[in-house]
Amino acid sequence: KEGQVLTVKLTHTGQMEERMMGHNFVLLKQYTDVADFAAKATAAYENEYIPESESDNIIAYTEMIGGGESTSVTFDVPVKGVYDFICSFPGHYGLMNGKLIVQ
């Protein structure tokens, strides 16, 4: 619900290291163009695929992790609405995505 504090824990159950098959969680602000964000993320290797030019479109994100690792992020739930989340590792957002629905 709006205004609550939410913690998202991400566990990479695979075995490949981060540089080969990394995963993260990126929660985007409403109306962010997900495909455009993902394209910019591909070029942001040095910043764990988080494009600095898109910082105004990000609510929260985790670090990039590799096989066997876990991470989490805690944030204030935004106002009511529907928010996209993705994995920003190159090529992942098409299948690794979802919606956070805030009531």
Side-chain angles (χ1 to χ4, degrees):
K1 295 193 181 225
E2 180 179 342
Q4 291 181 319
V5 175
L6 179 65
T7 298
V8 173
K9 182 178 180 185
L10 178 66
T11 300
H12 187 322
T13 60
Q15 297 178 356
M16 296 179 83
E17 59 188 71
E18 174 188 326
R19 67 181 179 87
M20 299 298 292
M21 187 60 71
H23 295 299
N24 67 355
F25 167 87
V26 183
L27 180 63
L28 301 171
K29 290 184 179 176
Q30 286 184 315
Y31 314 114
T32 299
D33 183 326
V34 176
D36 183 60
F37 180 93
K40 291 175 182 173
T42 298
Y45 170 78
E46 294 165 358
N47 198 37
E48 295 193 320
Y49 301 108
I50 301 295
E52 291 180 11
S53 65
E54 294 296 302
S55 62
D56 288 344
N57 289 323
I58 300 170
I59 295 171
Y61 66 94
T62 65
E63 64 183 319
M64 190 69 60
I65 59 172
E69 297 179 325
S70 294
T71 188
S72 64
V73 62
T74 300
F75 57 93
D76 294 328
V77 174
V79 297
K80 292 178 184 179
V82 178
Y83 299 84
D84 290 300
F85 63 84
I86 65 167
C87 173
S88 66
F89 191 87
H92 286 193
Y93 90 95
L95 292 175
M96 303 183 98
N97 63 73
K99 307 274 186 200
L100 173 68
I101 300 170
V102 180
Q103 301 176 353

Coordinates of all heavy atoms in Angstrom, one line a residue:
K1 N 0.8 -1.2 0.0 CA 0.0 0.0 0.0 C 0.9 1.3 0.0 O 2.0 1.2 0.5 CB -0.9 0.0 1.2 CG -1.9 -1.1 1.1 CD -3.0 -1.0 2.1 CE -3.9 -2.1 2.0 NZ -5.3 -1.8 2.0
E2 N 0.3 2.3 -0.5 CA 1.0 3.6 -0.6 C 1.5 4.0 0.7 O 0.9 3.8 1.8 CB 0.0 4.6 -1.1 CG 0.5 6.0 -1.3 CD -0.5 7.0 -1.8 OE1 -1.5 6.5 -2.4 OE2 -0.3 8.2 -1.6
G3 N 2.8 4.4 0.8 CA 3.4 4.9 2.0 C 4.1 3.9 2.9 O 4.8 4.3 3.8
Q4 N 3.9 2.6 2.6 CA 4.5 1.6 3.4 C 6.0 1.5 3.0 O 6.4 2.0 1.9 CB 3.8 0.2 3.2 CG 2.5 0.1 3.7 CD 1.9 -1.2 3.5 OE1 2.0 -1.8 2.5 NE2 1.2 -1.7 4.5
V5 N 6.7 0.8 3.8 CA 8.1 0.5 3.5 C 8.2 -0.9 3.0 O 7.6 -1.8 3.6 CB 9.0 0.7 4.7 CG1 10.5 0.3 4.4 CG2 9.0 2.2 5.2
L6 N 8.8 -1.1 1.8 CA 8.9 -2.4 1.2 C 10.3 -2.9 1.0 O 11.2 -2.1 0.6 CB 8.2 -2.4 -0.2 CG 8.1 -3.7 -1.0 CD1 7.3 -4.8 -0.3 CD2 7.6 -3.4 -2.4
T7 N 10.6 -4.1 1.3 CA 11.9 -4.7 1.1 C 11.8 -5.8 0.0 O 10.9 -6.7 0.2 CB 12.6 -5.3 2.3 OG1 12.8 -4.2 3.3 CG2 13.9 -5.9 2.0
V8 N 12.6 -5.7 -1.0 CA 12.6 -6.7 -2.1 C 13.9 -7.5 -1.9 O 15.0 -6.8 -2.0 CB 12.5 -6.1 -3.5 CG1 12.7 -7.2 -4.6 CG2 11.1 -5.4 -3.7
K9 N 13.8 -8.8 -1.8 CA 15.1 -9.6 -1.7 C 15.2 -10.4 -3.0 O 14.2 -11.0 -3.4 CB 15.0 -10.5 -0.5 CG 16.3 -11.4 -0.4 CD 16.3 -12.3 0.8 CE 17.6 -13.1 0.9 NZ 17.6 -14.1 1.9
L10 N 16.3 -10.3 -3.6 CA 16.6 -11.0 -4.8 C 17.7 -12.1 -4.6 O 18.7 -11.8 -4.1 CB 17.1 -10.0 -5.9 CG 17.5 -10.5 -7.3 CD1 16.3 -11.1 -8.0 CD2 18.1 -9.4 -8.1
T11 N 17.4 -13.3 -5.0 CA 18.3 -14.4 -4.9 C 18.6 -15.0 -6.3 O 17.6 -15.3 -7.0 CB 17.8 -15.5 -3.9 OG1 17.6 -14.9 -2.6 CG2 18.8 -16.6 -3.8
H12 N 19.8 -15.0 -6.7 CA 20.2 -15.6 -8.0 C 20.5 -17.1 -7.7 O 21.5 -17.5 -7.1 CB 21.5 -14.9 -8.4 CG 21.9 -15.2 -9.8 ND1 21.9 -16.5 -10.4 CD2 22.5 -14.4 -10.8 CE1 22.4 -16.4 -11.6 NE2 22.7 -15.2 -11.9
T13 N 19.6 -17.9 -8.2 CA 19.7 -19.4 -8.0 C 20.6 -20.1 -9.0 O 20.8 -21.3 -8.8 CB 18.3 -20.0 -8.0 OG1 17.7 -19.8 -9.2 CG2 17.4 -19.5 -6.8
G14 N 21.1 -19.4 -10.0 CA 22.0 -20.0 -11.0 C 23.4 -20.1 -10.4 O 23.6 -19.9 -9.3
Q15 N 24.3 -20.5 -11.3 CA 25.7 -20.7 -10.9 C 26.6 -19.8 -11.7 O 27.8 -19.7 -11.3 CB 26.1 -22.1 -11.2 CG 25.3 -23.1 -10.4 CD 25.6 -24.6 -10.6 OE1 26.4 -24.9 -11.5 NE2 25.0 -25.5 -9.9
M16 N 26.2 -19.1 -12.7 CA 27.1 -18.3 -13.5 C 27.4 -17.0 -12.8 O 26.6 -16.4 -12.1 CB 26.5 -18.0 -14.9 CG 26.3 -19.2 -15.7 SD 25.5 -18.9 -17.3 CE 27.0 -18.4 -18.2
E17 N 28.6 -16.5 -13.0 CA 29.1 -15.3 -12.3 C 28.4 -14.1 -12.9 O 27.8 -14.1 -14.0 CB 30.6 -15.1 -12.4 CG 31.1 -15.1 -13.8 CD 32.6 -15.2 -13.8 OE1 33.2 -16.2 -13.5 OE2 33.2 -14.1 -14.1
E18 N 28.4 -13.0 -12.2 CA 27.7 -11.7 -12.5 C 28.0 -11.2 -13.9 O 27.1 -10.8 -14.6 CB 28.1 -10.7 -11.5 CG 27.6 -9.3 -11.7 CD 28.1 -8.3 -10.8 OE1 28.4 -8.6 -9.6 OE2 28.3 -7.2 -11.2
R19 N 29.3 -11.2 -14.3 CA 29.6 -10.7 -15.6 C 29.0 -11.5 -16.8 O 28.9 -10.9 -17.9 CB 31.1 -10.5 -15.8 CG 31.9 -11.7 -15.9 CD 33.4 -11.4 -16.0 NE 34.1 -12.7 -16.0 CZ 34.4 -13.3 -17.1 NH1 34.0 -12.9 -18.3 NH2 35.1 -14.5 -17.1
M20 N 28.7 -12.7 -16.5 CA 28.2 -13.6 -17.6 C 26.6 -13.7 -17.6 O 26.0 -13.8 -18.6 CB 28.7 -15.0 -17.5 CG 30.2 -15.1 -17.6 SD 30.8 -14.6 -19.2 CE 30.2 -15.9 -20.2
M21 N 26.1 -13.7 -16.4 CA 24.6 -13.8 -16.2 C 24.2 -13.2 -14.9 O 23.6 -13.8 -14.0 CB 24.3 -15.3 -16.2 CG 22.8 -15.6 -16.2 SD 21.9 -15.0 -17.6 CE 22.4 -16.1 -18.9
G22 N 24.4 -11.8 -14.9 CA 24.0 -11.1 -13.7 C 22.5 -10.8 -13.7 O 21.8 -10.9 -14.7
H23 N 22.0 -10.5 -12.5 CA 20.6 -10.2 -12.3 C 20.5 -9.0 -11.3 O 21.3 -8.9 -10.4 CB 19.7 -11.3 -11.8 CG 19.7 -12.5 -12.8 ND1 19.1 -12.3 -14.1 CD2 20.1 -13.7 -12.7 CE1 19.2 -13.5 -14.7 NE2 19.8 -14.4 -13.9
N24 N 19.5 -8.2 -11.5 CA 19.2 -7.2 -10.5 C 17.7 -6.9 -10.6 O 16.9 -7.5 -11.3 CB 20.0 -5.9 -10.8 CG 19.6 -5.2 -12.1 OD1 18.8 -5.6 -12.9 ND2 20.2 -4.0 -12.3
F25 N 17.2 -6.0 -9.7 CA 15.8 -5.5 -9.7 C 15.9 -4.0 -9.8 O 16.5 -3.4 -9.0 CB 15.2 -6.0 -8.3 CG 13.9 -5.3 -8.0 CD1 12.7 -5.9 -8.5 CD2 13.8 -4.1 -7.3 CE1 11.5 -5.3 -8.2 CE2 12.6 -3.5 -7.0 CZ 11.4 -4.1 -7.5
V26 N 15.1 -3.5 -10.8 CA 15.1 -2.1 -11.0 C 13.6 -1.7 -11.1 O 12.9 -2.1 -12.0 CB 15.8 -1.6 -12.3 CG1 15.7 -0.1 -12.4 CG2 17.2 -2.1 -12.3
L27 N 13.1 -0.9 -10.1 CA 11.7 -0.4 -10.1 C 11.7 1.0 -10.7 O 12.4 1.9 -10.3 CB 11.2 -0.3 -8.7 CG 9.8 0.2 -8.5 CD1 8.8 -0.8 -9.2 CD2 9.5 0.3 -7.0
L28 N 10.9 1.1 -11.8 CA 10.9 2.4 -12.6 C 9.6 3.2 -12.2 O 8.6 2.7 -11.8 CB 10.8 2.1 -14.1 CG 12.0 1.2 -14.6 CD1 11.7 0.8 -16.0 CD2 13.3 2.1 -14.5
K29 N 9.8 4.5 -12.4 CA 8.7 5.4 -12.1 C 7.6 5.2 -13.2 O 7.9 4.7 -14.3 CB 9.1 6.9 -12.1 CG 10.0 7.2 -10.9 CD 10.3 8.7 -10.9 CE 11.1 9.0 -9.7 NZ 11.6 10.4 -9.7
Q30 N 6.4 5.6 -12.9 CA 5.3 5.4 -13.9 C 5.6 6.2 -15.2 O 6.3 7.2 -15.1 CB 4.0 6.0 -13.3 CG 3.4 5.1 -12.2 CD 2.1 5.7 -11.8 OE1 1.9 6.9 -11.5 NE2 1.1 4.8 -11.6
Y31 N 5.2 5.6 -16.3 CA 5.3 6.2 -17.6 C 6.7 6.2 -18.2 O 7.0 6.8 -19.2 CB 4.7 7.6 -17.7 CG 3.3 7.7 -17.0 CD1 3.1 8.4 -15.8 CD2 2.2 6.9 -17.5 CE1 1.9 8.4 -15.2 CE2 1.0 6.9 -16.8 CZ 0.9 7.7 -15.7 OH -0.4 7.7 -15.0
T32 N 7.6 5.5 -17.5 CA 9.0 5.4 -18.0 C 8.9 4.4 -19.2 O 8.3 3.4 -19.1 CB 9.9 4.8 -17.0 OG1 10.0 5.7 -15.9 CG2 11.3 4.6 -17.5
D33 N 9.6 4.7 -20.3 CA 9.6 3.9 -21.5 C 10.6 2.8 -21.2 O 11.8 3.0 -21.2 CB 10.1 4.7 -22.7 CG 10.1 3.9 -24.0 OD1 10.4 2.7 -24.0 OD2 9.8 4.5 -25.0
V34 N 10.1 1.6 -20.9 CA 10.9 0.4 -20.5 C 11.9 0.0 -21.5 O 13.1 -0.2 -21.2 CB 10.0 -0.8 -20.0 CG1 10.9 -2.0 -19.6 CG2 9.1 -0.4 -18.9
A35 N 11.5 0.0 -22.8 CA 12.4 -0.4 -23.8 C 13.5 0.6 -24.0 O 14.7 0.2 -24.2 CB 11.7 -0.6 -25.1
D36 N 13.2 1.8 -23.9 CA 14.3 2.9 -24.0 C 15.2 2.8 -22.8 O 16.4 2.9 -23.0 CB 13.6 4.3 -24.0 CG 14.6 5.4 -24.2 OD1 15.3 5.4 -25.2 OD2 14.6 6.3 -23.3
F37 N 14.7 2.6 -21.6 CA 15.5 2.5 -20.4 C 16.4 1.3 -20.6 O 17.6 1.4 -20.3 CB 14.6 2.3 -19.2 CG 15.4 2.1 -17.9 CD1 15.7 3.2 -17.1 CD2 15.9 0.9 -17.5 CE1 16.5 3.1 -16.0 CE2 16.7 0.8 -16.3 CZ 17.0 1.9 -15.6
A38 N 15.9 0.1 -21.0 CA 16.7 -1.1 -21.2 C 17.8 -0.9 -22.2 O 18.9 -1.4 -22.0 CB 15.8 -2.2 -21.5
A39 N 17.5 -0.2 -23.3 CA 18.5 0.1 -24.3 C 19.7 0.9 -23.7 O 20.9 0.7 -24.0 CB 17.9 0.8 -25.5
K40 N 19.3 1.9 -22.9 CA 20.4 2.7 -22.3 C 21.1 1.9 -21.2 O 22.3 2.1 -21.0 CB 19.7 4.0 -21.7 CG 19.2 4.9 -22.7 CD 18.5 6.1 -22.1 CE 18.0 7.0 -23.2 NZ 17.1 8.1 -22.7
A41 N 20.5 1.0 -20.6 CA 21.1 0.2 -19.5 C 22.2 -0.7 -20.2 O 23.2 -0.9 -19.5 CB 20.1 -0.7 -18.8
T42 N 22.0 -1.2 -21.4 CA 22.9 -2.0 -22.0 C 24.3 -1.4 -22.1 O 25.3 -2.0 -22.0 CB 22.4 -2.4 -23.4 OG1 21.2 -3.1 -23.3 CG2 23.4 -3.3 -24.2
A43 N 24.3 -0.1 -22.3 CA 25.6 0.7 -22.4 C 26.2 1.1 -21.1 O 27.3 1.7 -21.1 CB 25.4 1.9 -23.3
A44 N 25.5 0.8 -20.0 CA 26.0 1.2 -18.7 C 26.7 0.1 -17.9 O 26.5 0.0 -16.7 CB 24.8 1.7 -17.9
Y45 N 27.5 -0.6 -18.6 CA 28.3 -1.7 -18.0 C 29.0 -1.3 -16.7 O 29.0 -2.0 -15.7 CB 29.2 -2.4 -19.0 CG 30.2 -3.3 -18.4 CD1 29.8 -4.6 -18.0 CD2 31.5 -3.0 -18.1 CE1 30.6 -5.5 -17.4 CE2 32.4 -3.9 -17.5 CZ 31.9 -5.1 -17.2 OH 32.8 -6.0 -16.6
E46 N 29.7 -0.2 -16.8 CA 30.6 0.3 -15.7 C 29.8 0.7 -14.5 O 30.3 0.9 -13.4 CB 31.4 1.4 -16.2 CG 32.4 0.9 -17.3 CD 33.1 2.1 -18.1 OE1 32.8 3.2 -17.8 OE2 34.0 1.7 -18.9
N47 N 28.4 0.9 -14.7 CA 27.6 1.3 -13.5 C 26.6 0.2 -13.2 O 25.4 0.5 -12.9 CB 26.9 2.6 -13.9 CG 26.4 3.3 -12.6 OD1 27.0 3.3 -11.6 ND2 25.2 3.9 -12.8
E48 N 27.0 -1.1 -13.4 CA 26.1 -2.2 -13.2 C 24.8 -2.2 -13.9 O 23.7 -2.6 -13.5 CB 25.9 -2.4 -11.7 CG 27.1 -2.8 -10.9 CD 26.8 -3.3 -9.5 OE1 25.9 -2.7 -8.8 OE2 27.5 -4.2 -9.1
Y49 N 24.9 -1.7 -15.2 CA 23.7 -1.6 -16.1 C 22.6 -0.7 -15.5 O 21.4 -0.9 -15.8 CB 23.2 -3.0 -16.5 CG 24.3 -3.8 -17.1 CD1 24.9 -4.9 -16.5 CD2 24.7 -3.5 -18.4 CE1 25.9 -5.6 -17.1 CE2 25.7 -4.2 -19.0 CZ 26.3 -5.3 -18.4 OH 27.3 -6.0 -18.9
I50 N 23.0 0.3 -14.8 CA 22.0 1.4 -14.3 C 22.5 2.7 -15.0 O 23.5 3.3 -14.6 CB 22.1 1.5 -12.8 CG1 21.7 0.2 -12.1 CG2 21.2 2.7 -12.3 CD1 20.3 -0.3 -12.3
P51 N 21.8 3.1 -16.0 CA 22.2 4.3 -16.7 C 22.0 5.6 -15.9 O 20.9 5.9 -15.4 CB 21.3 4.3 -18.0 CG 20.1 3.5 -17.6 CD 20.6 2.5 -16.6
E52 N 23.1 6.3 -15.7 CA 23.0 7.5 -14.9 C 22.1 8.5 -15.5 O 21.4 9.3 -14.8 CB 24.4 8.1 -14.8 CG 25.4 7.2 -13.9 CD 26.8 7.8 -13.8 OE1 27.0 9.0 -14.2 OE2 27.6 7.1 -13.3
S53 N 21.9 8.5 -16.8 CA 21.0 9.5 -17.5 C 19.6 9.2 -17.1 O 18.7 10.1 -17.4 CB 21.2 9.4 -19.0 OG 20.8 8.2 -19.5
E54 N 19.3 8.1 -16.6 CA 17.9 7.7 -16.3 C 17.6 7.7 -14.8 O 16.6 7.2 -14.3 CB 17.6 6.3 -16.8 CG 17.6 6.2 -18.3 CD 16.5 7.0 -18.9 OE1 15.4 6.8 -18.7 OE2 16.9 8.0 -19.7
S55 N 18.5 8.3 -14.0 CA 18.3 8.3 -12.5 C 17.0 8.9 -12.1 O 16.4 8.4 -11.1 CB 19.5 9.0 -11.8 OG 19.6 10.3 -12.2
D56 N 16.5 9.8 -12.8 CA 15.2 10.4 -12.5 C 14.0 9.5 -12.7 O 12.9 9.8 -12.2 CB 14.9 11.7 -13.2 CG 15.8 12.9 -12.8 OD1 16.4 12.8 -11.7 OD2 16.0 13.9 -13.5
N57 N 14.2 8.4 -13.4 CA 13.1 7.5 -13.7 C 13.2 6.2 -12.8 O 12.4 5.3 -13.0 CB 13.2 7.0 -15.2 CG 12.8 8.1 -16.1 OD1 11.9 8.9 -15.8 ND2 13.5 8.2 -17.2
I58 N 14.1 6.2 -11.9 CA 14.3 5.0 -11.0 C 13.8 5.3 -9.6 O 14.2 6.3 -9.0 CB 15.7 4.6 -11.0 CG1 16.2 4.2 -12.4 CG2 15.9 3.4 -10.0 CD1 17.8 4.0 -12.5
I59 N 13.0 4.4 -9.1 CA 12.5 4.5 -7.7 C 13.5 3.8 -6.8 O 13.9 4.3 -5.8 CB 11.1 3.9 -7.5 CG1 10.1 4.8 -8.3 CG2 10.7 3.8 -6.1 CD1 8.7 4.2 -8.4
A60 N 13.9 2.6 -7.2 CA 14.8 1.7 -6.4 C 15.4 0.7 -7.2 O 14.9 0.3 -8.3 CB 14.0 1.1 -5.2
Y61 N 16.6 0.2 -6.8 CA 17.3 -0.9 -7.5 C 18.2 -1.6 -6.6 O 18.7 -1.0 -5.6 CB 18.0 -0.4 -8.8 CG 19.1 0.5 -8.6 CD1 20.4 0.0 -8.5 CD2 18.9 1.9 -8.4 CE1 21.5 0.9 -8.3 CE2 20.0 2.8 -8.2 CZ 21.3 2.3 -8.2 OH 22.4 3.1 -8.0
T62 N 18.5 -2.8 -7.0 CA 19.5 -3.6 -6.2 C 20.8 -3.6 -7.0 O 20.9 -3.2 -8.2 CB 19.1 -5.1 -6.1 OG1 19.1 -5.7 -7.4 CG2 17.8 -5.2 -5.4
E63 N 21.9 -4.0 -6.4 CA 23.1 -4.2 -7.1 C 23.0 -5.4 -8.0 O 22.0 -6.2 -7.9 CB 24.2 -4.5 -6.1 CG 24.0 -5.8 -5.3 CD 25.1 -6.0 -4.2 OE1 26.3 -5.8 -4.5 OE2 24.7 -6.4 -3.1
M64 N 23.9 -5.5 -9.0 CA 23.9 -6.7 -9.9 C 24.5 -7.8 -9.1 O 25.6 -7.7 -8.4 CB 24.7 -6.3 -11.1 CG 24.6 -7.3 -12.2 SD 23.0 -7.5 -13.1 CE 22.8 -5.8 -13.7
I65 N 23.9 -9.0 -9.2 CA 24.5 -10.2 -8.5 C 24.7 -11.4 -9.4 O 24.1 -11.5 -10.5 CB 23.6 -10.6 -7.3 CG1 22.2 -11.0 -7.8 CG2 23.6 -9.5 -6.2 CD1 21.3 -11.6 -6.7
G66 N 25.6 -12.2 -9.0 CA 25.9 -13.5 -9.8 C 25.3 -14.7 -9.1 O 24.7 -14.6 -8.0
G67 N 25.6 -15.9 -9.7 CA 25.0 -17.1 -9.2 C 25.4 -17.3 -7.7 O 26.5 -17.1 -7.2
G68 N 24.3 -17.8 -6.9 CA 24.5 -18.1 -5.5 C 24.5 -16.9 -4.6 O 24.5 -17.0 -3.4
E69 N 24.3 -15.7 -5.2 CA 24.3 -14.4 -4.3 C 22.9 -14.0 -4.1 O 22.0 -14.3 -4.8 CB 25.2 -13.4 -5.0 CG 26.6 -13.7 -5.2 CD 27.4 -12.6 -5.9 OE1 26.9 -11.9 -6.8 OE2 28.6 -12.4 -5.5
S70 N 22.8 -13.1 -3.1 CA 21.5 -12.5 -2.7 C 21.8 -11.0 -2.5 O 22.9 -10.6 -2.1 CB 20.9 -13.1 -1.5 OG 20.5 -14.4 -1.8
T71 N 20.7 -10.2 -2.6 CA 20.8 -8.8 -2.3 C 19.4 -8.3 -2.0 O 18.4 -9.1 -2.2 CB 21.4 -8.0 -3.5 OG1 21.6 -6.6 -3.1 CG2 20.5 -8.0 -4.7
S72 N 19.3 -7.1 -1.5 CA 17.9 -6.6 -1.2 C 18.0 -5.1 -1.3 O 19.0 -4.5 -1.3 CB 17.4 -7.0 0.1 OG 18.2 -6.5 1.2
V73 N 16.8 -4.5 -1.4 CA 16.6 -3.0 -1.4 C 15.4 -2.7 -0.7 O 14.4 -3.4 -0.8 CB 16.6 -2.5 -2.9 CG1 15.4 -3.0 -3.7 CG2 16.6 -0.9 -2.8
T74 N 15.4 -1.7 0.1 CA 14.3 -1.2 0.9 C 14.0 0.2 0.5 O 14.8 1.0 0.3 CB 14.6 -1.3 2.4 OG1 14.9 -2.6 2.8 CG2 13.5 -0.8 3.3
F75 N 12.7 0.4 0.3 CA 12.2 1.7 -0.2 C 10.8 2.1 0.2 O 10.1 1.2 0.6 CB 12.3 1.8 -1.8 CG 11.5 0.8 -2.5 CD1 10.2 1.0 -2.9 CD2 12.1 -0.5 -2.7 CE1 9.5 0.1 -3.5 CE2 11.3 -1.5 -3.4 CZ 10.0 -1.2 -3.8
D76 N 10.5 3.3 0.2 CA 9.1 3.8 0.5 C 8.3 3.5 -0.8 O 8.6 3.9 -1.9 CB 9.1 5.3 0.8 CG 9.8 5.6 2.1 OD1 9.8 4.7 3.0 OD2 10.4 6.7 2.2
V77 N 7.1 2.8 -0.5 CA 6.2 2.5 -1.6 C 5.7 3.9 -2.2 O 5.2 4.7 -1.4 CB 5.1 1.6 -1.2 CG1 4.0 1.4 -2.2 CG2 5.7 0.3 -0.7
P78 N 5.7 4.0 -3.5 CA 5.2 5.3 -4.1 C 3.7 5.4 -4.0 O 3.0 4.5 -3.5 CB 5.7 5.2 -5.5 CG 5.9 3.8 -5.8 CD 6.2 3.1 -4.5
V79 N 3.2 6.4 -4.6 CA 1.7 6.7 -4.6 C 1.0 5.6 -5.5 O 1.6 4.9 -6.2 CB 1.4 8.1 -5.2 CG1 2.0 9.2 -4.4 CG2 1.9 8.2 -6.7
K80 N -0.3 5.5 -5.2 CA -1.1 4.5 -5.9 C -0.8 4.5 -7.4 O -0.7 5.6 -8.0 CB -2.6 4.8 -5.7 CG -3.0 4.6 -4.3 CD -4.5 4.9 -4.1 CE -4.9 4.8 -2.6 NZ -6.3 5.1 -2.4
G81 N -0.8 3.3 -8.0 CA -0.6 3.2 -9.4 C 0.1 1.9 -9.7 O 0.3 1.0 -8.9
V82 N 0.5 1.8 -11.0 CA 1.2 0.6 -11.5 C 2.6 0.9 -12.0 O 2.8 1.9 -12.7 CB 0.4 -0.1 -12.6 CG1 1.1 -1.3 -13.2 CG2 -1.0 -0.4 -12.2
Y83 N 3.6 0.2 -11.5 CA 5.0 0.5 -11.7 C 5.7 -0.7 -12.3 O 5.5 -1.8 -11.8 CB 5.7 0.9 -10.4 CG 5.1 2.1 -9.8 CD1 4.0 2.0 -9.0 CD2 5.6 3.4 -10.0 CE1 3.4 3.1 -8.4 CE2 5.1 4.5 -9.4 CZ 4.0 4.4 -8.6 OH 3.4 5.5 -8.1
D84 N 6.5 -0.5 -13.4 CA 7.2 -1.6 -14.0 C 8.5 -1.8 -13.2 O 9.1 -0.9 -12.7 CB 7.6 -1.2 -15.4 CG 6.4 -1.1 -16.4 OD1 5.8 -2.2 -16.5 OD2 6.2 -0.1 -17.0
F85 N 8.9 -3.1 -13.2 CA 10.2 -3.5 -12.7 C 10.8 -4.4 -13.7 O 10.1 -5.2 -14.4 CB 10.2 -4.0 -11.3 CG 9.5 -5.3 -11.1 CD1 10.1 -6.6 -11.3 CD2 8.2 -5.3 -10.6 CE1 9.4 -7.7 -11.1 CE2 7.5 -6.5 -10.4 CZ 8.1 -7.7 -10.6
I86 N 12.2 -4.4 -13.8 CA 12.9 -5.2 -14.7 C 14.2 -5.6 -14.1 O 14.7 -5.1 -13.1 CB 13.2 -4.4 -16.1 CG1 14.1 -3.2 -15.8 CG2 11.9 -4.0 -16.7 CD1 14.7 -2.6 -17.1
C87 N 14.9 -6.6 -14.8 CA 16.3 -6.8 -14.7 C 17.0 -6.1 -15.8 O 16.6 -6.2 -17.0 CB 16.6 -8.3 -14.8 SG 18.3 -8.7 -14.8
S88 N 17.9 -5.3 -15.5 CA 18.6 -4.4 -16.5 C 19.8 -5.0 -17.2 O 20.4 -4.4 -18.0 CB 18.9 -3.0 -15.9 OG 19.9 -3.1 -15.0
F89 N 20.1 -6.3 -16.8 CA 21.2 -6.9 -17.5 C 20.9 -7.0 -19.0 O 19.7 -7.3 -19.3 CB 21.5 -8.3 -16.9 CG 22.7 -9.0 -17.4 CD1 23.9 -8.8 -16.7 CD2 22.7 -9.9 -18.4 CE1 25.1 -9.4 -17.1 CE2 23.9 -10.5 -18.9 CZ 25.1 -10.3 -18.2
P90 N 21.8 -6.8 -19.9 CA 21.5 -6.8 -21.3 C 20.7 -8.1 -21.8 O 21.1 -9.2 -21.5 CB 22.8 -6.8 -22.0 CG 23.7 -6.1 -21.0 CD 23.2 -6.5 -19.7
G91 N 19.6 -7.8 -22.4 CA 18.7 -8.8 -23.0 C 17.7 -9.5 -22.0 O 16.9 -10.3 -22.4
H92 N 17.8 -9.1 -20.8 CA 16.9 -9.7 -19.8 C 15.5 -9.1 -19.6 O 14.6 -9.8 -19.3 CB 17.6 -9.8 -18.4 CG 18.7 -10.8 -18.3 ND1 19.2 -11.1 -17.1 CD2 19.3 -11.5 -19.3 CE1 20.2 -12.0 -17.3 NE2 20.3 -12.2 -18.6
Y93 N 15.4 -7.8 -19.9 CA 14.1 -7.2 -19.5 C 12.9 -7.7 -20.2 O 11.8 -7.7 -19.7 CB 14.2 -5.6 -19.7 CG 13.8 -5.2 -21.1 CD1 12.5 -4.7 -21.4 CD2 14.7 -5.2 -22.2 CE1 12.2 -4.3 -22.6 CE2 14.4 -4.8 -23.4 CZ 13.1 -4.3 -23.7 OH 12.7 -3.9 -24.9
G94 N 13.1 -8.3 -21.4 CA 12.0 -8.9 -22.2 C 11.2 -10.0 -21.5 O 10.0 -10.1 -21.6
L95 N 12.0 -10.8 -20.7 CA 11.4 -11.9 -19.9 C 11.4 -11.6 -18.4 O 10.5 -12.2 -17.7 CB 12.1 -13.2 -20.2 CG 11.9 -13.7 -21.6 CD1 12.8 -15.0 -21.8 CD2 10.5 -14.1 -21.9
M96 N 12.3 -10.8 -18.0 CA 12.4 -10.6 -16.5 C 11.9 -9.2 -16.2 O 12.6 -8.2 -16.1 CB 13.9 -10.7 -16.1 CG 14.5 -12.1 -16.5 SD 16.2 -12.2 -16.0 CE 15.9 -13.1 -14.4
N97 N 10.6 -9.2 -16.0 CA 9.9 -8.0 -15.8 C 8.6 -8.3 -15.0 O 8.2 -9.4 -14.9 CB 9.6 -7.2 -17.1 CG 8.7 -8.0 -18.0 OD1 7.5 -8.1 -17.7 ND2 9.2 -8.6 -19.1
G98 N 8.0 -7.2 -14.5 CA 6.7 -7.4 -13.8 C 6.2 -6.0 -13.5 O 6.7 -5.0 -13.9
K99 N 5.1 -6.1 -12.7 CA 4.4 -4.9 -12.2 C 4.3 -4.8 -10.7 O 3.9 -5.9 -10.1 CB 3.0 -4.8 -12.8 CG 2.9 -5.0 -14.3 CD 3.1 -3.7 -15.0 CE 2.9 -3.9 -16.5 NZ 3.5 -2.8 -17.3
L100 N 4.6 -3.7 -10.1 CA 4.3 -3.5 -8.7 C 3.0 -2.7 -8.7 O 2.9 -1.6 -9.3 CB 5.4 -2.7 -8.1 CG 5.1 -2.2 -6.6 CD1 5.0 -3.4 -5.7 CD2 6.2 -1.2 -6.2
I101 N 1.9 -3.2 -8.1 CA 0.6 -2.5 -8.1 C 0.5 -2.0 -6.7 O 0.4 -2.7 -5.7 CB -0.5 -3.5 -8.4 CG1 -0.3 -4.1 -9.8 CG2 -1.9 -2.8 -8.3 CD1 -1.2 -5.2 -10.2
V102 N 0.4 -0.7 -6.6 CA 0.3 0.0 -5.3 C -1.2 0.5 -5.2 O -1.8 1.1 -6.0 CB 1.2 1.3 -5.3 CG1 1.1 2.0 -4.0 CG2 2.6 0.9 -5.6
Q103 N -1.7 0.1 -4.0 CA -3.1 0.4 -3.7 C -3.2 1.6 -2.8 O -2.3 1.9 -2.0 CB -3.8 -0.8 -3.0 CG -3.8 -2.0 -3.9 CD -4.4 -3.2 -3.2 OE1 -4.7 -3.2 -2.0 NE2 -4.6 -4.3 -4.0

